[in-house]
Amino acid sequence: MSGAALGLEIVFVFFLALFLLHRYGDFKKQHRLVIIGTLLAWYLCFLIVFILPLDVSTTIYNRCKHAAANSSPTENSNITGFHATATPVPSQHPCFKPWSYIPDGIMPIFWRVVYWTSQFLTWILLPFMQSYARSGGFSITGKIKTALIENAIYYGTYLLIFGAFLIYVAVNPHLHLEWNQLQTIGIAAANTWGLFLLVLLLGYGLVEIPRSYWNGAKRGYLLMKTYFKAAKLMTEKADAEETLEDVMEEVRKVNESIKYNHPLRKCVDTILKKCPTEYQEKMGRNMDDYEDFDEKHNTYPSEKSLVKLHKQVIYSVQRHRRTQVQWQILLEQAFYLEDVAKNETSATRQFVHTFQSPEPENKFLQYFYNPTVEWYWECLLRPWFYRILAVVLSIFSVIVVWSECTFFSTTPVLSLFAVFIQLAEKTYNYIYIEIACFLSIFFLSICVYSTVFRIRVFNYYYLASHHQTDAYSLLFSGMLFCRLTPPLCLNFLGLTHMDSSISHQNTQPTAYTSIMGSMKVLSFIADGFYIYYPMLVVILCIATYFSLGTRCLNLLGFQQFMGDNDMTSDLVDEGKELIRREKRKRQRQEEGENRRREWKERYGHNREDSTRNRNVHVDPKESNLSDISTNRSSKYTRANNRTERDRIELLQDVEPLDFNAETFTDDPLESEPGRYQPGGRYLSMSHSRIFDDV
């Protein structure tokens, strides 16, 4: 099994990262480089979290083997342990090799490749790709130029910080600059930045995650919060539609001013391709394309203004599409929560849905998750399950907060994580060690990563599920993960006293700690910032518990869900009315579809039978006459086609063009609304358009 656990986790983590990226990103519409860069960043960060427990168990085994070799150097090298005998029993041997043991030399190379690849992504490649994806340039060269200009200040700031560290080391007479020390300074600077952000996110997640599950068990809480979200999302949806209309109006003006033979016409065509289909049909092409662009002395937009417009089109279209999808998802969620509230008082204990799911349900899942099982889960079991889960997560949060405040104490050992690992180390129970390490670092990762998925910086950074996250937010999340994961792992090793700089013991370090180098080069960081700054998590947890951040945002005008606020009550009532309106609308649609279905089932068969009987009783002479007339008409179709086209052209020359029509086509011979068509009627009076305004 040597190395098998490492290979299995590498494969499993890859599919986990791919699944999450598929949920938030869009593989079909987004650029491949954006997908690959984000996937690589997420994959490396998740890989560090999953592989670190194997590194801990392997390190404990190597420590045991090293201690046994020092205590009995004359014995056989295969006999290791503190109480080894000449012929030990393998099952009673205290230093037996763990099932997930990784051979020497593999982990240092593995960590070095993973760490430096993630650092290259977060500090160099992903920021450049972020600016490239957000650029509105029409060529690769223009996008690269824009990305370099935007990142010049970004890179200059980090070079200034790194230069400050270099000056500090150069001025200190007790230190001599070497390559390893320069490498350690760079790692310390990156970890310091990451630890500063890590504590902020961790303090929020330690309180908010258990509280969200506890509030989710309350009756009516999720429904009230959904009403609140509906009111806010409707406002955002209306704003997105208004922004899109304004941008499309600018595109229409540019499209009318720049003709087909203008040098910038290719840029306009690129912008038009990014517009929604309905707007493309409305705008179409200019009818005055026969005019040269320089015959009239008009003011044409510059290429720089077109680049800006292109950027606005990409942003507005993405935001409009996202709000539309989120509105439909929120409606489904609100309808389902209303069904749960209604079914709680059901005497039949059968879960009844107001609307059937539009997607076909899995028969296998439907067999086991029938209406009875669904009622017991939604109305009876899930609230209690959420309460128990909230209590368990709260206990974990208390353990983390206590350990963050006491992990620097080695005699006595006060960190509970270190106590658990040291108890398992005495018995060399590697399975327990790996499970304890995995649960600990997994909980820390959930608290930090879930906060990254929840936070929203206006409309610039927002991770939206159901494939609605833009490229900028995906790349930014990859940057955050790569910067937060290394200090998160170092903090975990410090909590478990597996870091020798924390435990102050002359023991073999983990392979992950060895690539970080000795932090003694920067003593004020190793002995000061890394030790005392994590204690601020207590203050952040208290602030999150009393919702101080939410109250501050509410005072600044950013509406947040608060139960004891009048603004929240008004938004809940508004959202409730919006959901009720959409529910009535959907009920009317379903009733109309049911009536059409019943009409077809009742009268459709009779009509088919009558038609079939009519065809059966047709006279053979009439059928022959119809065939002759059909052949005769087909002979003169081409002859009359030209005169018909000439007649249509004359009608089009007489009637002025309507630029405000809903549909506009390039071919002047194609039909337009309100125009006379062969057959003696106007298209605007056809049956398909009579009830358009109803």
Side-chain angles (χ1 to χ4, degrees):
M1 293 296 292
S2 178
L6 180 63
L8 290 175
E9 292 198 1
I10 289 175
V11 176
F12 172 76
V13 171
F14 174 78
F15 285 103
L16 176 62
L18 187 65
F19 169 76
L20 290 176
L21 184 58
H22 177 264
R23 176 176 174 80
Y24 287 89
D26 192 347
F27 292 170
K28 296 180 180 179
K29 296 182 179 180
Q30 289 171 342
H31 200 278
R32 293 182 180 179
L33 293 179
V34 174
I35 298 296
I36 294 174
T38 307
L39 177 62
L40 184 59
W42 288 16
Y43 173 60
L44 293 178
C45 295
F46 297 162
L47 193 63
I48 294 175
V49 173
F50 277 82
I51 301 299
L52 193 61
L54 302 183
D55 190 8
V56 173
S57 62
T58 302
T59 302
I60 291 176
Y61 170 73
N62 290 333
R63 288 179 180 178
C64 174
K65 187 171 61 174
H66 182 70
N70 292 335
S71 61
S72 55
T74 58
E75 296 179 359
N76 195 323
S77 59
N78 294 328
I79 303 175
T80 58
F82 294 107
H83 303 286
T85 57
T87 57
V89 182
S91 60
Q92 300 176 355
H93 204 285
C95 278
F96 66 89
K97 185 180 295 185
W99 72 278
S100 59
Y101 176 74
I102 301 174
D104 296 338
I106 294 180
M107 289 306 298
I109 299 175
F110 176 80
W111 287 131
R112 191 171 288 109
V113 171
V114 170
Y115 177 78
W116 288 112
T117 303
S118 64
Q119 295 304 301
F120 173 76
L121 288 174
T122 187
W123 298 107
I124 298 178
L125 185 60
L126 291 184
F128 179 82
M129 292 179 63
Q130 198 175 19
S131 301
Y132 183 89
R134 201 174 180 85
S135 173
F138 300 100
S139 62
I140 298 178
T141 306
K143 291 184 177 182
I144 292 176
K145 181 180 179 180
T146 304
L148 289 176
I149 294 174
E150 289 183 358
N151 286 274
I153 301 175
Y154 178 82
Y155 295 134
T157 303
Y158 294 121
L159 289 176
L160 182 63
I161 296 174
F162 185 72
F165 280 106
L166 287 179
I167 294 173
Y168 169 78
V169 176
V171 171
N172 195 339
H174 302 287
L175 298 176
H176 301 283
L177 286 176
E178 297 179 359
W179 171 250
N180 293 333
Q181 294 176 346
L182 291 176
Q183 179 179 338
T184 302
I185 292 173
I187 294 174
N191 290 336
T192 302
W193 192 97
L195 185 62
F196 176 79
L197 184 60
L198 173 69
V199 174
L200 299 178
L201 301 179
L202 184 63
Y204 176 82
L206 288 174
V207 176
E208 191 61 30
I209 291 178
R211 183 165 58 184
S212 63
Y213 282 102
W214 182 264
N215 291 332
K218 297 179 181 179
R219 291 187 177 183
Y221 176 84
L222 291 179
L223 186 57
M224 293 297 106
K225 193 171 184 179
T226 304
Y227 289 152
F228 179 82
K229 290 181 179 179
K232 290 188 63 177
L233 185 58
M234 176 54 72
T235 304
E236 183 182 356
K237 180 170 170 286
D239 183 59
E241 292 175 352
E242 184 179 354
T243 303
L244 182 63
E245 289 288 344
D246 295 339
V247 174
M248 290 299 105
E249 181 64 22
E250 294 293 330
V251 174
R252 187 189 64 82
K253 293 179 181 179
V254 170
N255 184 42
E256 291 180 355
S257 62
I258 297 181
K259 308 303 178 182
Y260 75 101
N261 51 0
H262 195 279
L264 296 177
R265 184 64 204 183
K266 294 182 179 179
C267 301
V268 177
D269 293 337
T270 303
I271 296 176
L272 289 175
K273 292 179 181 178
K274 303 294 178 63
C275 299
T277 307
E278 57 271 17
Y279 289 98
Q280 294 183 24
E281 294 176 353
K282 287 182 180 180
M283 288 181 287
R285 290 275 188 162
N286 289 330
M287 297 303 297
D288 298 333
D289 279 352
Y290 59 86
E291 297 179 359
D292 293 333
F293 69 92
D294 55 351
E295 288 185 358
K296 296 182 179 180
H297 300 284
N298 296 330
T299 57
Y300 298 102
S302 61
E303 185 177 0
K304 187 176 181 180
S305 62
L306 291 180
V307 169
K308 184 179 179 180
L309 181 62
H310 187 204
K311 187 176 180 180
Q312 292 176 352
V313 168
I314 295 173
Y315 169 73
S316 60
V317 170
Q318 171 67 26
R319 186 187 175 196
H320 179 262
R321 187 187 301 116
R322 186 187 69 217
T323 52
Q324 295 290 336
V325 174
Q326 286 180 334
W327 177 250
Q328 296 299 326
I329 295 171
L330 190 63
L331 287 179
E332 297 293 337
Q333 183 181 359
F335 295 156
Y336 188 77
L337 291 175
E338 288 181 347
D339 292 341
V340 172
K342 291 180 180 179
N343 285 275
E344 285 179 350
T345 57
S346 176
T348 60
R349 297 190 175 184
Q350 296 280 333
F351 198 92
V352 180
H353 293 269
T354 304
F355 304 106
Q356 297 296 328
S357 177
E359 299 180 359
E361 297 182 358
N362 190 357
K363 294 182 178 180
F364 180 78
L365 182 62
Q366 189 177 6
Y367 177 77
F368 289 98
Y369 196 67
N370 51 43
T372 304
V373 176
E374 187 176 4
W375 186 90
Y376 276 100
W377 168 249
E378 293 292 342
C379 303
L380 190 63
L381 297 179
R382 192 177 70 170
W384 287 103
F385 175 75
Y386 276 12
R387 291 189 185 97
I388 295 173
L389 184 60
V391 172
V392 173
L393 294 176
S394 300
I395 294 173
F396 267 96
S397 298
V398 172
I399 293 174
V400 171
V401 173
W402 171 263
S403 300
E404 290 285 357
C405 298
T406 59
F407 74 95
F408 59 90
S409 177
T410 56
T411 52
V413 178
L414 298 178
S415 175
L416 296 179
F417 289 108
V419 171
F420 296 152
I421 298 301
Q422 289 179 5
L423 289 176
E425 186 177 0
K426 292 180 181 179
T427 59
Y428 295 97
N429 190 348
Y430 297 107
I431 300 295
Y432 174 79
I433 292 173
E434 292 176 3
I435 293 176
C437 290
F438 176 76
L439 291 178
S440 303
I441 194 172
F442 184 74
F443 179 72
L444 293 174
S445 303
I446 289 296
C447 293
V448 175
Y449 293 162
S450 64
T451 309
V452 174
F453 280 96
R454 289 186 181 187
I455 61 177
R456 177 176 180 177
V457 184
F458 300 104
N459 289 315
Y460 295 98
Y461 171 74
Y462 180 36
L463 290 177
S465 58
H466 298 84
H467 321 291
Q468 299 304 312
T469 307
D470 58 352
Y472 184 88
S473 299
L474 286 177
L475 294 171
F476 190 75
S477 66
M479 291 168 53
L480 287 179
F481 285 161
C482 290
R483 296 180 189 183
L484 292 171
T485 304
L488 174 66
C489 295
L490 282 179
N491 183 256
F492 165 74
L493 294 176
L495 295 177
T496 57
H497 287 185
M498 294 299 295
D499 190 355
S500 58
S501 62
I502 302 298
S503 61
H504 301 289
Q505 296 177 0
N506 190 13
T507 56
Q508 181 180 357
T510 60
Y512 186 81
T513 310
S514 63
I515 69 166
M516 294 294 175
S518 177
M519 294 298 173
K520 294 180 180 179
V521 179
L522 302 172
S523 58
F524 70 95
I525 292 180
D527 299 332
F529 185 78
Y530 285 173
I531 300 297
Y532 299 105
Y533 179 72
M535 295 182 185
L536 292 178
V537 74
V538 179
I539 301 175
L540 294 172
C541 287
I542 295 174
T544 306
Y545 180 79
F546 291 103
S547 302
L548 296 182
T550 303
R551 298 179 188 276
C552 292
L553 290 175
N554 217 10
L555 291 175
L556 294 175
F558 301 97
Q559 289 84 8
Q560 303 294 318
F561 184 75
M562 298 177 62
D564 55 348
N565 193 356
D566 296 335
M567 181 63 70
T568 301
S569 302
D570 295 340
L571 289 175
V572 168
D573 294 338
E574 181 183 350
K576 189 175 183 179
E577 182 62 30
L578 291 172
I579 297 298
R580 186 183 295 114
R581 188 185 308 166
E582 292 291 335
K583 192 173 185 178
R584 288 197 301 266
K585 181 180 177 182
R586 183 168 296 187
Q587 286 176 348
R588 289 195 297 269
Q589 291 177 354
E590 288 195 352
E591 289 174 358
E593 292 177 359
N594 293 333
R595 285 196 298 268
R596 294 191 199 96
R597 192 180 300 110
E598 292 177 358
W599 179 272
K600 288 182 180 179
E601 292 176 355
R602 181 178 301 177
Y603 300 103
H605 299 291
N606 298 332
R607 185 177 299 175
E608 291 177 359
D609 295 338
S610 62
T611 305
R612 190 181 299 109
N613 295 331
R614 188 180 303 168
N615 294 332
V616 169
H617 296 289
V618 171
D619 191 1
K621 295 181 179 180
E622 294 179 359
S623 63
N624 293 332
L625 291 174
S626 63
D627 294 338
I628 294 172
S629 62
T630 303
N631 295 331
R632 186 177 299 171
S633 62
S634 62
K635 290 180 181 179
Y636 296 99
T637 301
R638 291 187 178 181
N640 295 331
N641 189 19
R642 185 170 182 178
T643 58
E644 190 72 23
R645 292 173 63 89
D646 294 337
R647 184 165 61 119
I648 295 173
E649 289 179 355
L650 290 173
L651 288 174
Q652 288 178 346
D653 292 335
V654 172
E655 187 174 352
L657 295 174
D658 184 10
F659 288 95
N660 295 324
E662 292 186 358
T663 58
F664 192 82
T665 55
D666 295 336
D667 192 357
L669 299 180
E670 291 184 4
S671 60
E672 293 185 3
R675 300 213 173 200
Y676 182 82
Q677 295 296 311
R681 63 184 178 89
Y682 285 84
L683 278 182
S684 60
M685 297 301 294
S686 63
H687 294 286
S688 62
R689 298 184 59 85
I690 291 177
F691 300 99
D692 281 357
D693 296 332
V694 178

